[in-house]
Amino acid sequence: MIQKLQDVGELALQQIKFSQDLESLEKVRISILGKKGALSEVLKGVGAIPASDRPQIGGMANEWKKRIEESLESRKQQLEQIWLAQKVQTERIDITAPSRCLHRGSLHLVTQTTQRIIQILSRIGFDVTLGPEVETDYFNFEAVNIQADHPARDMQDTFFLSPGIVLRTHTSSVQMRAMRAQKAPIRILCPGAVYRCDNDATHSPMFHQIEGLWVDRGVRMSDLKGTLLYWAKELFGSSTQIRFRPSYFPFVEPGAEVDVSCFQCRVKVSPLCRVCKGSGWLEVLGAGMVHPRLFEMAGYSQDDEVRGFAFGVGVERIAMLLYQVPDLRLLYQGDLRFLSQFK
Ligand code: FA5
């Protein structure tokens, strides 16, 4: 038994010494000290020897175990050092190498423009309200005074999802929802996507509008003009002027198309100007005083002198003007060479 212990111990020390890596060292450990390892196997025979010899054998076995464990630990440390040294050699990091370029994303030009417009108007008390893009025919048309047989339906070619359900053609669909949801005063902006069967350099089938609605006692056309002049000066520059041209929208009376003076030809209108094409003016939005019929439909009493104005601006067109984008479709092609210019 003593001889067997000695043989196992000495062999173990040899194997540990010649282990070349941590993995083979672990195998050696298991083959000696593991449950079915060589040392355990020898000790299984202890039961067969006389009781008087057992303490001596037990003592020897413990001593060998301790020697083996110490030897394993010291070889392990050696092998770890070797592993680390090899790693440092083979995986050298060149801290002077130029770093890889990280492409940081940025907000889309349409989002930036939307945020800019909202920021300007929120300074004078407008809050943002959202409405659904999938809208009922009622809120998109009838509730803004466009009846089923009204010729104004032809002004906006509509995507119908099912009978009575449309993709909203304008953010004016939010007007009636807002007037029914809350009483005056109302001062809201409704940004969002709208849809029409359109497609060319200045018309996209999906585009964005921001609707403005201010309803309160005694609101007048001059308030509309003051609000839009403030907005235009903040957006296009302090020398900007605005002009109203009479126009027709069924939900306002009177209605107007609003132009801003060309921010490119600030001092003198140039016939060569690429922005205004020599006219000196840029059309930016539709606006007007809320039609009395809408107040009626929203359940407002005629006696309470509540009036209102509304306007609707096309975000892409504003972005095109501000950044001189020649074709609206560029905004939706996802070409980073184009989009990253507006970071
Ligand atoms: C309207 O949509 C009205 N709801 C605006 C309004 C609101 C008038 C409140 C009065 C009171 P219009 O169809 O003109 O009006 O569209 C408004 C703006 O959306 C246009 O001036 C234009 O800038 C933009 N626009 C219209 N169609 C498209 C399109 N297919 N692609 C990109 N922009 C468009």
Side-chain angles (χ1 to χ4, degrees), residues 170 172 196 198 203-204 207 209 211 249 251 286-287 311-312 317:
H170 54 177
S172 299
R196 293 183 195 175
D198 274 341
H203 293 84
S204 162
F207 62 103
Q209 287 187 337
E211 189 84 2
F249 299 97
F251 32 92
F311 57 88
R317 295 280 177 83

Side-chain angles (χ1 to χ4, degrees), residues 12-30:
L13 294 181
Q14 287 295 311
Q15 286 177 332
I16 292 168
K17 193 170 160 193
F18 292 111
S19 293
Q20 289 306 306
D21 53 44
L22 289 162
E23 204 182 324
S24 53
L25 184 67
E26 177 60 9
K27 278 187 189 150
V28 169
R29 188 190 69 77
I30 293 168

Side-chain angles (χ1 to χ4, degrees), residues 182-188 213-217 219 300 306:
Q182 81 185 85
K183 289 274 157 230
I186 300 171
R187 205 183 304 178
I188 56 161
L213 177 69
W214 185 333
V215 172
D216 204 351
R217 271 170 192 274
V219 169
Y300 283 64
V306 170

